[in-house]
Amino acid sequence: MDDGARLPYLGGEVTLRLYHAPRNRTDFDPETMELSMGLVQGATEHLLKERVKNWFKQQAEGLFAQRLDLYATRLGVQYSSFSLSNADTRWGSCTVQRVIRLNWKLMHFSLPLIDYVVAHELAHILEMNHSPRFWAHVGRIYPQYDEAKNLLRRRAQELTPLFN
């Protein structure tokens, strides 16, 4: 990753700005969509990638909690907890204990695609399958789910792996 690198973020892009600093520091300016990272002398590429990944995860925690609460209220369900996942092939999961896991890499996609995954996982609280009843629950709170499901599949294939 170099200064000026463009990273996919919420369906758009953030520009990575790197500079030397006496201590590691991260700042995000939503106006300019710039993610500034102050790096100490000798900082490695691995450290930089970890810091960028941690920033994405921090953003994901706040946004996902907000979206889960919004859609849980709309669906009339409660989840017990949620955590971030790093799965290669799954965007989310829901256990019978109502524990939801959402992949932090969803932060690369637009909010409607994130909302689709959130609605999908919350609907599993009512139906732990993909039956017509399950999809009816999803459709009740996210009517355009079919379009979002297909778009997510396409976007996922286009996404270059930034973090392995």
Side-chain angles (χ1 to χ4, degrees), residues 54-70:
N54 287 338
W55 179 81
F56 271 100
K57 287 179 174 182
Q58 187 179 37
Q59 301 304 302
E61 282 184 351
L63 181 65
F64 295 173
Q66 177 189 54
R67 305 317 283 177
L68 281 164
D69 290 347
L70 174 72

Side-chain angles (χ1 to χ4, degrees), residues 14-84:
V14 296
T15 302
L16 185 62
R17 294 291 174 211
L18 304 177
Y19 63 95
H20 291 289
R23 62 185 179 85
N24 289 330
R25 179 184 172 100
T26 303
D27 294 296
F28 177 64
D29 183 344
E31 296 292 314
T32 62
M33 294 301 282
E34 289 185 336
L35 178 61
S36 298
M37 298 238 160
L39 299 169
V40 296
Q41 192 67 37
T44 64
E45 177 82 8
H46 176 74
L47 174 69
L48 173 60
K49 282 185 176 181
E50 284 302 306
R51 294 209 21 237
V52 171
K53 184 171 22 174
N54 287 338
W55 179 81
F56 271 100
K57 287 179 174 182
Q58 187 179 37
Q59 301 304 302
E61 282 184 351
L63 181 65
F64 295 173
Q66 177 189 54
R67 305 317 283 177
L68 281 164
D69 290 347
L70 174 72
Y71 282 95
T73 300
R74 289 182 183 173
L75 191 57
V77 297
Q78 288 186 329
Y79 61 96
S80 55
S81 66
F82 99 91
S83 62
L84 298 179

Side-chain angles (χ1 to χ4, degrees), residues 121-142:
E121 297 312 330
L122 286 168
H124 280 307
I125 292 173
L126 299 171
E127 292 285 330
M128 290 301 278
N129 54 52
H130 290 109
S131 66
R133 281 185 6 189
F134 165 82
W135 289 111
H137 290 304
V138 176
R140 195 158 45 92
I141 58 169
Y142 198 89

Side-chain angles (χ1 to χ4, degrees), residues 96-107:
V96 292
Q97 294 83 17
R98 296 177 294 125
V99 174
I100 292 181
R101 291 176 51 84
L102 297 170
N103 193 318
W104 66 268
K105 295 172 192 163
L106 284 166
M107 291 300 289

Side-chain angles (χ1 to χ4, degrees), residues 53 84-93 101-106 108-109 152-153 155-157 159-164:
K53 184 171 22 174
L84 298 179
S85 108
N86 194 33
D88 284 332
T89 57
R90 295 179 77 170
W91 294 117
S93 64
R101 291 176 51 84
L102 297 170
N103 193 318
W104 66 268
K105 295 172 192 163
L106 284 166
H108 297 314
F109 303 121
L152 180 62
R153 196 171 290 132
R155 291 284 186 268
Q157 291 169 348
L159 194 65
T160 51
L162 298 171
F163 310 98
N164 303 3

